[in-house]
Amino acid sequence: MSKLPETSTDPYQWLEDVDGEQSMHWVQAQNLKTEDRFARSDSFQQIKADVLEMLDSDSNIPHVDKVGAYYYNFWMDAAHPRGLWRRTTLEEYRKPQPAWETLLDLDALNAAEGENWVWHGADYLRPDYQRCLLALSRGGADASVTREFDLATRTWVEDGFQLPESKGGLGWIDRDNVYVFTDFGEGTMTRSGYPRIVKQWQRGTPLSAARVVYEGRLDDMYIAAMHDDTPGHERDFVSRTLAFYNNELYLRGSDNQLRKIDAPNSAEKSVYKDWLLLELREDWALDEVFVAGSLLAIRFDRFMAGQRDFDVLFAPTDSTSLAGFFWTLNHLVLNVLDHVKNRLSVLTPGANGWQRSEFTGAPGMGTVYASAVDSDDSDAVWLVTTDYLTPTTLSLAEIGHPPEVLKTLPAFFDSSQHMIEQHFAVSRDGTRVPYFVVRGKDLPRNGTAPTLLYGYGGFEYSLTPHYSGEVGRAWLSKGGVYVVANIRGGGEYGPRWHQAALKQNRPRAYEDFAAVARDLIDRGITSPRYLGAEGGSNGGLLVGNMLTQYPELFGAIVSQVPLLDMQRYHLLLAGASWMGEYGNPDEPEEWAYIQTFSPYHLFDPAKAYPPVFFLTSTRDDRVHPAHARKLAAKMIDAGKDVTYYENIEGGHGGAADNAQAAHMSALVYSFLWEKLSVSRG
């Protein structure tokens, strides 16, 4: 059993002071070095201009949400860097250049208020949809300010609901009541930095008069409540999230009594009209064993009465997992991954059980994202189809009828000479790990192709093919090979794939990624000198471990908004909410394995490492910027090849607007081309 190191011995802990004078002086000095090194070249300027042109292009698809009679969109371009919130009709939306009604101009709002607001979304009030609760973030942080907005007058509601900046939010109950879950003062937030208490707040009363609905524990993750406003099925729920994939759901009665939805905490629970759906993440033994990854259905009233006669709507196989599901007016649509490729099916409840059919008109190749247009009103479905080389297409489909193509992204690069392959690497324990390769058709197998390997491997999140003009122009068109690894920890094969890399098994994700790197080398696609690795957030931790544990496999590493100090991650911002994923470093028996994948502690100044680029954001209030700061500083002081850049705005996404995003992308690709190009020494 390893002894937990004393944190007082950390000479770089001062960099955890986010806005401190000493910390920011260090950040500004590193940013200046990086700008001087990369941002002055013609190639940087060209990449930045190319990326910004694509991000600001009027040809981008304006994705919409149908709310009442209108279709709402949030749009950013060169003239509106912080964006326009706007709406139109379906008739207009079908046109190549729809006419939009602007509801709120964030750039104008920022100028008027002297703020740096970033859009965080809108919550619309049924049934007339005349009021909204708008969430705005300063600089892109997770924390937001919420205000009430009048859609009829396009103005803020005087003396309307307003919530100060905090993680949490407001949710409509009716016109004069909302649920509020926020920072109510000392002791009202969880150790993860999220709301511990939810209250009901009545219009015209001070926030201090709001009535407690539910109070969670300090070591819970997140407490919230929501009103189901489905016509004819109105009801209220309280959600208690203990950790990722560990939650309790309660039905709230008119007397404020709570009845637990008595299903496993690990199951995702959703109630829609007459139905309760349970997505299992662990086997559940009742009269029969329902396997992890299954989707179960039962009438909600029957379940609450104690019945357990479930219909199994989906059960996983060795190659399939449930990527998602949604309701339309009369149907349930399942999105299934089969070896990381999507297919849709339609289930229809009836007197004789559930009828199944394939989704008419769904493409057979590439990634398919699907969602209901308006589940209260129709069986219409939005279909978004994409792959690495095919520009994204948005279609409107009525179930049972061919889809109508509404919008198509332009081809931002010439992909005619490229191809997509799927291969499988064999990891250390014999597991076959899928990965996608996007390469030139005539790629010589001499090991000299600059290759960028991307991965994530955490929180049951799946990496599926998608079109990126940025990758196409800045990497593929210049002769690079792009690779995406579907390693364990992700959700590509459902809960089992995720759970295979939890806590003490986390190194399996890193072994998978290293196996993909070796497979690329064995195939002659690249070699360590020309192979780069990139990842962000949990993926930043992934490539941090490539840097410290597998340095011989890579010629460059890009670690974005990363976790790196796994001894203190749970003490920094939202870190405590991830202990179900990584473990608790305060427990010596858990620190014993956590320290084996903590890059900050694995770094050895005597070892040789590939060049590394750390990127983060001062306004990231989810993953603390100190993770990147501290390892960068430690490596710089040891004389290693380190590049560092910290965007002052941006939140966990890294950038607050398109110009910032283009600037950071250009820095990354300039770094990668310098380190991985054939022409380098």
Side-chain angles (χ1 to χ4, degrees), residues 117-173:
W117 297 124
V118 173
W119 180 256
H120 261 200
D123 180 17
Y124 304 85
L125 175 64
R126 290 183 193 241
D128 56 4
Y129 303 107
Q130 293 300 299
R131 294 288 177 89
C132 278
L133 296 171
L134 297 190
L136 303 172
S137 157
R138 287 188 174 94
D142 283 358
S144 60
V145 170
T146 306
R147 302 179 184 175
E148 187 175 359
F149 189 85
D150 190 315
L151 283 162
T153 62
R154 290 181 291 178
T155 58
W156 302 111
V157 177
E158 187 175 353
D159 298 325
F161 289 111
Q162 293 194 42
L163 192 64
E165 184 177 39
S166 175
K167 292 185 179 180
L170 296 176
W172 290 112
I173 300 174

Side-chain angles (χ1 to χ4, degrees), residues 18-44:
V18 175
D19 298 313
E21 183 177 353
Q22 188 180 8
S23 297
M24 291 310 298
H25 178 77
W26 182 88
V27 167
Q28 290 159 2
Q30 298 305 319
N31 283 358
L32 183 60
K33 290 178 185 178
T34 298
E35 295 278 359
D36 286 343
R37 184 174 178 183
F38 293 110
R40 314 301 178 200
S41 69
D42 290 342
S43 61
F44 170 90

Side-chain angles (χ1 to χ4, degrees), residues 11 31 81 108 196 217 250 258 278 317 340 390 430 470 491 537 617 637:
N31 283 358
R196 188 176 67 81
R217 298 176 181 174
Y250 295 87
L258 302 181
L278 300 177
T317 67
V340 206
T390 307
E470 175 185 315
S537 192
S617 164
D637 289 349

Side-chain angles (χ1 to χ4, degrees), residues 147 294 311 315 369 386 394 470 481:
R147 302 179 184 175
S294 297
D311 292 316
Y369 304 100
T386 183
L394 171 68
E470 175 185 315
V481 175

